[in-house]
């Protein structure tokens, strides 16, 4: 990585520090900030969550995804972040949706959005275009618009 003032600017520690500073500055300025973090606990365990007041966990209908969300919920609560919500993602049928809804309910996460599996998202990725431009009326994009409206209100 590139060195500046003795720091490796590509290191995971520096990235976590930078993200933490951005979140802290937004909190001090009274601004809302939405951060899309990679799945897992590294950012929260490194203290990025110390200025977070709310988290949204995205679940997919398989065990590893839901187990990661459970660990994120537990760690978030340990850090004092009690306001958690869930978004179900890539559900293919009512069984998938039901499993994820039940999981959220069991872990006190209110479901605020449901994004269905949609082949249009794969097609947009292959075409290297944003889904909102590629297929603006597809079910997944419509669900994401609804979720965005909820988050903005």
């Amino acid at each position: 990585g590139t060195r500046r003032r003795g720091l490796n600017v590509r290191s995971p520690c520096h990235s976590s520090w930078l993200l933490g500073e951005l979140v802290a500055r937004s909190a001090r300025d009274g601004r809302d900030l939405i951060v899309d973090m990679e799945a897992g606990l590294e950012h929260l365990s490194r203290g990025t969550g110390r200025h977070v007041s709310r988290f949204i966990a995205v679940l997919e209908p398989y065990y590893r995804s839901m187990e990661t969300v459970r660990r994120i919920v537990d760690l978030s609560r340990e850090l004092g972040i009690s306001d958690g919500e869930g978004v179900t993602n890539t559900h293919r049928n009512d069984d998938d949706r039901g499993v994820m809804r039940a999981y959220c309910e069991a872990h006190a996460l209110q479901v605020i959005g449901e994004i269905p599996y949609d082949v249009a998202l794969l097609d947009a990725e292959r075409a290297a275009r944003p889904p909102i431009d590629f297929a603006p009326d597809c079910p997944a994009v419509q669900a994401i618009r609804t979720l965005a409206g909820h988050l903005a209100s």
Side-chain angles (χ1 to χ4, degrees):
T2 304
R3 290 205 167 272
R4 291 195 185 130
R5 294 186 187 174
L7 291 175
N8 182 341
V9 297
R10 291 186 182 179
S11 75
C13 293
H14 182 72
S15 298
S16 293
W17 173 83
L18 188 60
L19 179 59
E21 287 300 308
L22 178 63
V23 171
R25 181 172 291 182
S26 294
R28 279 193 308 268
D29 294 346
R31 292 181 291 161
D32 292 332
L33 177 67
I34 297 175
V35 179
D36 181 5
M37 292 192 222
E38 61 189 276
L41 303 171
E42 182 178 345
H43 288 295
L44 283 175
S45 66
R46 291 183 181 269
T48 304
R50 69 184 174 271
H51 298 287
V52 173
S53 60
R54 172 181 172 196
F55 72 92
I56 300 168
V58 179
L59 297 88
E60 294 191 353
Y62 54 90
Y63 176 79
R64 188 174 283 162
S65 172
M66 290 188 278
E67 187 59 18
T68 298
V69 167
R70 181 196 59 77
R71 292 175 28 224
I72 289 169
V73 168
D74 291 347
L75 182 57
S76 295
R77 292 194 175 130
E78 285 177 26
L79 295 172
I81 309 165
S82 60
D83 188 6
E85 297 168 318
V87 173
T88 67
N89 192 33
T90 66
H91 63 270
R92 294 177 186 255
N93 54 44
D94 287 339
D95 289 341
D96 284 352
R97 181 186 289 142
V99 165
M100 290 186 287
R101 282 187 155 276
Y103 197 87
C104 284
E105 185 177 322
H107 294 88
L109 294 173
Q110 176 188 357
V111 174
I112 61 168
E114 296 181 320
I115 303 168
Y117 175 84
D118 192 332
V119 73
L121 297 182
L122 298 173
D123 294 340
E125 181 71 23
R126 285 186 199 110
R129 293 185 54 206
I132 197 165
D133 294 336
F134 184 83
D137 297 323
C138 75
V141 169
Q142 289 177 357
I144 293 166
R145 277 190 178 123
T146 300
L147 176 60
H150 173 81
L151 294 174
S153 64

